[in-house]
Structure formats: structure tokens, C-alpha cells
Amino acid sequence: GPTGTITITQEGSVFTATGPTEKIPADGTKTVTGSVSATAGLAWTISPEESNSIKVSPIAGSGYSELTFTGEDNEGRERTGSFTVTVTANPARIASISVKQESKEVPAIVGSIEVDKIQYREKIDYNDANRYCQSKGWRIPTAAELYSMYQSRYSLMAIDGFEPFITTTNTTDYYWSCSFNTEGVIVRYFGQKTSTTTNPNYPALVRCVRNIVN
């Protein structure tokens, strides 16, 4: 008799992970939630259980589950916990979740940037200054940002924990910007209302900044 081919398509499993839309309060008195959405019976795990003093629960399950994130009292800077949700079934899949906790610390804000409260005491060349800031997750300010920092220097130095700028009138006590012109890198003195340019291989002071992330 006649023959034919029958094609049957089977749907694949579903797997997504969603982090919280709000931050954990600095005092840790409120939890925030995310979720794992997966096909019923599809097993998953989360690691680590604790990241940067932020904990997640549960750390294993199957199918859909709400995730609860808690944080300890945070006296330092705003912190982020990073978690990986893994499906071990074939095909293996992973998803990343980030959770932020607010800080009790008052940040040093100028315009749209945060100024590092720590003053690096040594003078270093431009490349070393750039590496130093990047190692902290920060950057060298632009010439315009550096000028705003200079204008706001007294209010910044009044913030608790803010280490003072170097404000001597020594002709080499200037701060790096990341702005260049035809003569070199633009630098600014904080002990006098002037800016100049210098060779990027010469030593200078650095104060790192970072963009404010809401």
C-alpha cells in the first residue's frame, strides 16, 4: 500500500532567570526578589550562595521559582552580588543575575560623576594612572570634570571619609585629566586656579572618578 513520512516536532524546554528591579536597602531590613522560569521538571542550580555579602535562596530547584535576595548591614560603598543560574540538562544553559545593595556611605558627587574618596599619594605617569583607576573600576576624569572637582573641592573635602586633595603650590603638584591637546595631556593644579599641559610620561597626581549609575 501507499507509504509516507510523518514529522513530529517537539517543543524545547524554556529557561530564563530574572534579577530584582530594586536594590536591597543599606540596612538589610528588606529583601528583594527575582525569579527562575523553566519548564516543569527542568532542574537548575545557583552559585554562589553568597556573593559580596548578598545571599540568594533557594540555590536549587526545578521549574518556576521565586528567588529571594538578602543583604547584611552595608556600612561601605554600594555593592553588587553576582550569581549564575545553571541548567545541567542537555543542552546545558546558564544565566547571570546581578543584585545591588544600597550604601549608608555618602558618596562624593559632582554633577554626573562620583569622585573617589581615596587620594593616591604617589605621582605616577599617565599610563600608570589609567591602570590604577581601571583596576578599581573607575577612570581618569576629563578636563571639564577635573575643573568641576576643583570648583567643588571644599564641599567634597567636607564629606566624611574624603581624603583631601593635594593643594600645595608646588609646580609639579597637578592632577591628570584624560583630555589631550596638541601639546600633551591637560592637567590641573588644585593649589592654584590654573591648568596646563604635560608629557604623559611625566609623573602627576591622580583622583579617579566614575559615572553615576542609577
Side-chain angles (χ1 to χ4, degrees), residues 102-162:
E102 296 173 342
S103 170
K104 290 182 179 179
E105 183 181 42
V106 178
I109 303 296
V110 176
S112 61
I113 60 169
E114 178 182 356
V115 182
D116 192 358
K117 290 185 176 182
I118 298 173
Q119 174 60 60
Y120 191 75
R121 309 306 297 183
E122 297 180 15
K123 296 175 186 177
I124 49 179
D125 68 30
Y126 180 83
N127 287 333
D128 283 344
N130 195 38
R131 281 190 287 268
Y132 167 71
C133 289
Q134 289 182 349
S135 71
K136 295 158 58 76
W138 298 57
R139 61 177 176 82
I140 298 174
T142 65
E145 291 168 341
L146 196 61
Y147 180 60
S148 295
M149 291 161 58
Y150 168 79
Q151 289 183 308
S152 304
R153 63 195 183 282
Y154 295 120
S155 59
L156 285 170
M157 290 190 291
I159 296 173
D160 185 46
F162 193 96

Side-chain angles (χ1 to χ4, degrees), residues 42-171:
L42 186 66
W44 46 264
T45 60
I46 300 179
S47 64
E49 182 177 1
E50 180 176 343
S51 172
N52 207 10
S53 298
I54 297 174
K55 294 182 179 180
V56 60
S57 178
I59 58 171
S62 64
Y64 175 83
S65 179
E66 184 174 89
L67 305 176
T68 301
F69 299 91
T70 58
E72 299 176 0
D73 191 49
N74 184 15
E75 297 285 351
R77 298 171 185 265
E78 180 177 278
R79 58 191 174 199
T80 302
S82 299
F83 303 90
T84 301
V85 187
T86 304
V87 169
T88 56
N90 188 19
R93 281 156 286 176
I94 62 172
S96 298
I97 295 177
S98 294
V99 186
K100 293 184 180 294
Q101 183 176 16
E102 296 173 342
S103 170
K104 290 182 179 179
E105 183 181 42
V106 178
I109 303 296
V110 176
S112 61
I113 60 169
E114 178 182 356
V115 182
D116 192 358
K117 290 185 176 182
I118 298 173
Q119 174 60 60
Y120 191 75
R121 309 306 297 183
E122 297 180 15
K123 296 175 186 177
I124 49 179
D125 68 30
Y126 180 83
N127 287 333
D128 283 344
N130 195 38
R131 281 190 287 268
Y132 167 71
C133 289
Q134 289 182 349
S135 71
K136 295 158 58 76
W138 298 57
R139 61 177 176 82
I140 298 174
T142 65
E145 291 168 341
L146 196 61
Y147 180 60
S148 295
M149 291 161 58
Y150 168 79
Q151 289 183 308
S152 304
R153 63 195 183 282
Y154 295 120
S155 59
L156 285 170
M157 290 190 291
I159 296 173
D160 185 46
F162 193 96
E163 296 179 4
F165 291 107
I166 306 298
T167 57
T168 61
T169 55
N170 188 314
T171 56

Side-chain angles (χ1 to χ4, degrees), residues 6-23:
I6 298 176
T7 301
I8 300 174
T9 302
Q10 182 180 21
E11 294 181 346
S13 59
V14 175
F15 167 64
T16 59
T18 305
T21 58
E22 55 185 331
K23 299 176 182 179

